[in-house]
Amino acid sequence: MTGDVVIAPAWADRRNPQVRMVCVPYDRPQYPASAGHAVSNHHGGPHMEEFDVIISGYGPTGISAASLIARMGHSVAVFERWPTMYGLPRLCSIDGESCRIVQAAGDVDQALADHSDVKWYHLVDGEGNVLIDVNFEKEKRVSGFYNRKSMYQPDVERAMDEAGRERGVQVFQGYELKAFEQDADGVTVTVEKNMRRYEGPQEDPKQYRAKYLIGADGANSIVRKVMKPEMDDYGFREGFLSVDVMRKGDYQFASETSTSICDPKRPISVIPIGNNRMRFEFLIDPDEDNTELLTPDVGYHFLESAWGITKDDVEIYRQVLYPFEAKVMHNWRQGRAFLAGDAAHQMPPFQGQGACSGMRDSINLAWKLDLVLRGLADEDLLDLYTEERRPHVTKVTVDTVEIGKVACTRDEKVIDELSAFLKSGGELPPPPTMPNLDFGILHRASGEVDRPAGLLGPQGPVEKDGVTGRFDDVVGWGFQLIVAGTDPLADLSDEHREFLAQINCVAANVGDGGDVKPLDAEYMEYFATHGVMGVLVRPDYYVFAGIRSLDELPAIIDDLRGQLKIKALAPA
Ligand SMILES: Cc1cc2nc3c(=O)[nH]c(=O)nc-3n(C[C@H](O)[C@H](O)[C@H](O)COP(=O)(O)OP(=O)(O)OC[C@H]3O[C@@H](n4cnc5c(N)ncnc54)[C@H](O)[C@@H]3O)c2cc1C
């Protein structure tokens, strides 16, 4: 047997001709073309188009989910109530893990065309003294990217949208999901043309079928209204007047720093949006009528009085009021329907994690749906979506609320006490860290998650067969078996190799003389830090197991197979 890297056809990026398909020894047939097909209504009614997955909502969560699921070879339809992409930024920064998700969902370099590396997030008092210092410079690169990138959201959405459409996603823009029903075989959704921004004639409601439905339709999700999950409400309710500006001429922004000025008289946050734009957020009472704040004169007045910025320096291109809450739904699955993104959880923006969490939902659900849709895994696997994602997003939400309490306080005493404490030499606890994955499909030793299981796996620049680039682009996205110093497949049984091929696992030897040559120290440092010689990584980049010796690899693979409850292998 050779140690060739396995790239299963449907997961390889069809848009990158440079990446040569290496399908030996696990050459597999192409998945069916990803287009919907007409089926008879299960009640014997008119024919309806049927898809593997229907997604309600085409924000960052829906766009990423659609592109990833289509990349795995499944037919996907999206219904989005507005007729065009929104085209303006809501989120302004994402972390390294999310960059890697965008990489799988589209062209990440196109997505980050206008980006800056954010080095600090400072919460300061009214005099500019730093109260909380989040220093991204101290953090390691995560997932192959600097860990906090400010960027222009429309670029990110366009990159994933274009890739998704190339992969066969059918996007029905201007159609609102109104209702859905489930039965044993699938979901029937009812959609209506949204007449609010449409001049044409009213259309009759239409119905479509899918095996699964993802509600990625935001904070007011209709899918959630039907599912009626219980939720935890963390009692945070604040609002911002958000003034987004474009710089004029030579005017320069501090695009390396985000700042929240915790001045109880007027809390303000200042956040870069790539290199050319900036957001100024002024705290408001979300329960008052603030519509009079939505005129450019008010926006320019706020900018000048708070920051000394005038119309000569910048142009306001968007001014909007946002309420923020902190809520996490209990169950994100009901039969064949799922919640993802803001439909499943909402948090204030202080850690820049709302959309990142939505994209984490997308990739987590995508690979589980893939295994179930391909008939490899049992539907029970889909229950682990909530089990894995909810504790993760809950920690992020709770941490964000704690930061928000400082950033939004109207109580002078809170800030005065904090400032005095720091001036007297007191030290604040370090800022929150991102959670690891602690539940679900992870290798355990004596019942405990065996780290690095549950940590994010590495991605570095590599060279293979003369092609250089990020590992996922050059070698492949999917499960990844990466080992230093030896061919990880060499001593495996045929059955183990066949299992890895079935779940679309790529394999690589990144050690000296291996088939994949690392172009920096990422892999070796990672392995040394965790005392392993390799890792088996899930498609959402979380490590399933660290590999300390090749002898334990068969047992690790058996454990993965057992946890995924993979049915008897289909013939190769
Ligand atoms: C001011 C602000 C700053 C933020 N900054 C950051 C940041 O820096 N980093 C970060 O990660 N996050 C940030 N967030 C959070 C982030 O914007 C959200 O978490 C993210 O947009 C959620 O994505 P989503 O796709 O789940 O939902 P949404 O973006 O809300 O998209 C939902 C989509 O569903 C559509 N829809 C709704 N109902 C229906 C229906 N019935 N039928 C069809 N379509 C429907 C909507 O039109 C919309 O397009 C910020 C949020 C705000 C408000």
Side-chain angles (χ1 to χ4, degrees):
M1 239 354 143
T2 74
D4 271 345
V5 171
V6 182
I7 301 183
W11 289 55
D13 197 329
R14 281 173 261 161
R15 293 170 310 113
N16 186 352
Q18 266 201 312
V19 177
R20 194 165 61 80
M21 301 282 207
V22 185
C23 302
V24 182
Y26 302 126
D27 208 353
R28 293 167 48 80
Q30 285 280 350
Y31 296 118
S34 52
H37 61 277
V39 290
S40 167
N41 177 328
H42 61 290
H43 302 303
H47 285 257
M48 280 186 268
E49 218 176 331
E50 172 158 341
F51 298 87
D52 291 324
V53 178
I54 284 179
I55 298 174
S56 170
Y58 208 45
T61 307
I63 303 177
S64 53
S67 181
L68 294 171
I69 295 168
R71 182 171 175 180
M72 294 167 170
H74 307 291
S75 60
V76 181
V78 183
F79 296 94
E80 163 55 48
R81 70 175 162 195
W82 298 117
T84 56
M85 303 287 279
Y86 187 62
L88 289 170
R90 283 86 75 211
L91 58 124
C92 352
S93 71
I94 55 175
D95 58 17
E97 179 184 355
S98 306
C99 290
R100 194 173 180 187
I101 299 172
V102 173
Q103 182 191 342
D107 179 340
V108 68
D109 296 312
Q110 178 191 347
L112 299 176
D114 175 14
H115 82 269
S116 63
D117 291 347
V118 180
K119 298 190 173 152
W120 302 278
Y121 173 38
H122 284 157
L123 286 91
V124 301
D125 65 14
E127 293 164 11
N129 303 306
V130 176
L131 303 174
I132 299 180
D133 174 19
V134 183
N135 186 338
F136 296 107
E137 278 289 88
K138 281 193 199 149
E139 294 184 9
K140 265 187 69 65
R141 286 166 68 85
V142 172
S143 306
F145 294 88
Y146 187 84
N147 199 22
R148 184 49 56 179
K149 284 205 180 281
S150 161
M151 78 310 142
Y152 186 53
Q153 181 178 354
D155 290 343
V156 177
E157 292 185 336
R158 198 175 308 115
M160 296 193 290
D161 169 56
E162 285 176 12
R165 287 176 201 256
E166 276 180 40
R167 293 164 182 173
V169 176
Q170 292 194 38
V171 188
F172 297 85
Q173 285 168 298
Y175 287 87
E176 196 162 5
L177 191 127
K178 289 291 190 185
F180 74 90
E181 282 177 7
Q182 306 195 41
D183 54 63
D185 305 319
V187 185
T188 303
V189 303
T190 305
V191 301
E192 267 180 29
K193 186 106 192 165
N194 177 6
M195 300 308 290
R196 274 171 284 178
R197 287 201 202 148
Y198 180 67
E199 307 276 303
Q202 177 74 55
E203 294 174 5
D204 287 337
K206 292 194 178 107
Q207 291 197 313
Y208 294 83
R209 288 275 292 170
K211 296 189 182 83
Y212 296 100
L213 167 68
I214 302 176
D217 40 6
N220 298 314
S221 165
I222 181 80
V223 176
R224 192 182 67 230
K225 279 178 191 146
V226 176
M227 285 170 61
K228 296 194 184 71
E230 288 185 36
M231 69 167 171
D232 290 323
D233 184 338
Y234 295 92
F236 188 90
R237 185 164 167 77
E238 291 291 358
F240 276 127
L241 167 68
S242 182
V243 182
D244 286 8
V245 303
M246 179 86 163
R247 70 186 177 88
K248 281 183 178 170
D250 294 336
Y251 190 81
Q252 290 298 324
F253 292 130
S255 56
E256 293 182 336
T257 312
S258 292
T259 311
S260 285
I261 302 161
C262 313
D263 180 352
K265 290 188 212 80
R266 165 125 289 172
I268 305 174
S269 289
V270 188
I271 304 139
I273 306 175
N275 283 303
N276 300 314
R277 300 173 182 85
M278 204 83 174
R279 172 169 298 161
F280 296 82
E281 291 174 334
F282 301 88
L283 192 70
I284 52 151
D285 182 341
D287 297 317
E288 282 182 3
D289 178 7
N290 293 294
T291 41
E292 83 281 0
L293 299 178
L294 288 176
T295 65
D297 282 349
V298 171
Y300 283 116
H301 170 72
F302 274 3
L303 290 179
E304 189 158 4
S305 58
W307 223 255
I309 292 178
T310 71
K311 279 183 185 174
D312 294 335
D313 305 319
V314 300
E315 182 181 344
I316 296 177
Y317 66 90
R318 181 163 182 255
Q319 203 167 312
V320 68
L321 298 163
Y322 278 117
F324 295 116
E325 295 187 298
K327 295 175 177 171
V328 179
M329 305 307 135
H330 284 195
N331 200 348
W332 305 1
R333 174 186 180 201
Q334 192 181 83
R336 293 175 172 273
F338 300 87
L339 298 174
D342 275 19
H345 44 77
Q346 294 133 48
M347 67 183 79
F350 303 104
Q351 290 204 93
Q353 278 296 331
C356 296
S357 300
M359 290 193 281
R360 270 182 212 113
D361 299 344
S362 296
I363 198 164
N364 185 300
L365 184 54
W367 69 260
K368 293 183 171 69
L369 278 174
D370 172 60
L371 291 176
V372 174
L373 281 166
R374 288 200 282 132
L376 288 174
D378 193 86
E379 280 213 332
D380 290 354
L381 178 64
L382 302 174
D383 282 332
L384 295 181
Y385 165 59
T386 310
E387 195 175 316
E388 291 183 352
R389 286 292 306 129
R390 190 159 73 99
H392 192 282
V393 84
T394 298
K395 176 176 183 323
V396 176
T397 305
V398 169
D399 288 346
T400 303
V401 166
E402 290 308 308
I403 294 181
K405 283 182 189 163
V406 179
C408 299
T409 187
R410 295 175 177 84
D411 184 348
E412 305 227 359
K413 235 175 88 190
V414 170
I415 299 302
D416 288 350
E417 280 175 10
L418 254 179
S419 303
F421 174 69
L422 291 172
K423 277 179 193 158
S424 68
E427 271 188 38
L428 284 174
T433 52
M434 284 302 290
N436 302 313
L437 188 62
D438 293 322
F439 300 93
I441 306 285
L442 298 171
H443 187 57
R444 292 170 176 79
S446 315
E448 296 290 313
V449 173
D450 187 15
R451 301 290 187 216
L455 308 184
L456 284 166
Q459 174 177 234
V462 296
E463 191 242 298
K464 178 177 166 56
D465 297 335
V467 179
T468 57
R470 298 180 182 100
F471 183 98
D472 299 350
D473 296 334
V474 173
V475 181
W477 170 57
F479 285 90
Q480 295 176 338
L481 176 57
I482 308 170
V483 163
T486 182
D487 169 7
L489 303 175
D491 294 329
L492 290 180
S493 67
D494 285 350
E495 196 181 348
H496 282 132
R497 292 177 206 208
E498 184 54 28
F499 164 72
L500 293 177
Q502 295 266 350
I503 62 167
N504 290 319
C505 183
V506 299
N509 172 6
V510 293
D512 283 346
D515 55 344
V516 175
K517 186 174 159 207
L519 300 178
D520 70 10
E522 176 84 21
Y523 291 95
M524 298 314 143
E525 281 179 10
Y526 189 97
F527 295 162
T529 302
H530 298 292
V532 295
M533 64 174 296
V535 280
L536 179 53
V537 185
R538 309 166 5 146
D540 54 10
Y541 316 125
Y542 285 90
V543 173
F544 170 73
I547 301 160
R548 292 189 176 80
S549 102
L550 276 195
D551 293 345
E552 61 182 27
L553 186 54
I556 286 172
I557 295 172
D558 286 341
D559 183 25
L560 176 62
R561 184 170 172 181
Q563 291 196 40
L564 292 174
K565 296 192 190 146
I566 294 292
K567 299 172 185 170
L569 296 180

